[in-house]
Amino acid sequence: MALAAQLYRDARAAERFRVGLDATLRDPEHVPLDVMVEDLSASGFRVLTATDLAVGVEIGLGLAGIGMQRAVVIWCDGGVCGCAFVQPLSKAALDRALGAPSTAPVALPRVGPWGPVPVDANSDERPVRKLPIPVRLLVIVVLSVLAWLSVIALGLLVVRGRLF
């Protein structure tokens, strides 16, 4: 009995690199999700997500070194998804992504690659200014004293029969 071996060619369009990089994925509703890119190539990537993504939807991947890139979900199973870039990465962009530290911040634009991100017209996007710590402590102490004084005043009114 003869044993026949068959060779199968991998249908991938480009060489894959195992990377384990932190990234930000924007789903079709533009909601940012923290993800881990397991492998990366010029044509696509495999990513770990908290939820499955629908096959065929267009997403955005924010990765240190290359910024936001448009991609399409090809397959997804149990929070592991394979995606293809809409425009393959250039060799220079792939080299930057492979050499960039995974903790580098990723700039997420208000206008995504697939259109403007809706912004609530009523939202106030100014940064919150916190009071200095001594002022915050003073406010806490004064409010605590006022709360206890009101409890004592109500107690005296009840005991003297003026309330109830």
Side-chain angles (χ1 to χ4, degrees):
M1 179 168 159
L3 185 61
Q6 291 185 347
L7 295 177
Y8 293 96
R9 186 166 192 274
D10 192 349
R12 295 179 198 260
E15 181 182 0
R16 298 264 168 175
F17 299 93
R18 289 186 180 261
V19 290
L21 296 173
D22 294 323
T24 302
L25 185 140
R26 287 208 179 249
D27 68 9
E29 286 79 38
H30 310 287
V31 176
L33 304 168
D34 291 329
V35 296
M36 172 70 73
V37 177
E38 287 188 322
D39 66 35
L40 180 68
S41 75
S43 61
F45 56 94
R46 184 177 68 217
V47 66
L48 295 176
T49 66
T51 59
D52 280 347
L53 300 168
V55 173
V57 298
E58 191 170 293
I59 58 170
L61 179 72
L63 193 59
I66 61 171
M68 185 66 69
Q69 299 293 321
R70 292 175 30 198
V72 176
V73 178
I74 304 300
W75 60 268
C76 204
D77 184 29
V80 180
C81 301
C83 304
F85 290 118
V86 172
Q87 290 290 326
L89 298 178
S90 66
K91 177 152 177 35
L94 182 61
D95 290 342
R96 283 193 310 272
L98 294 173
S102 65
T103 57
V106 176
L108 299 174
R110 278 266 174 220
V111 177
W114 49 87
V117 176
V119 176
D120 183 9
N122 298 325
S123 71
D124 185 11
E125 298 249 348
R126 288 178 290 175
V128 176
R129 231 182 88 220
K130 291 185 178 182
L131 294 173
I133 291 179
V135 174
R136 287 189 265 170
L137 290 174
L138 179 64
V139 168
I140 291 171
V141 169
V142 168
L143 290 176
S144 298
V145 168
L146 288 175
W148 278 109
L149 286 176
S150 64
V151 168
I152 291 169
L154 283 173
L156 288 174
L157 288 175
V158 169
V159 168
R160 292 186 180 167
R162 294 186 183 162
L163 193 67
F164 299 117

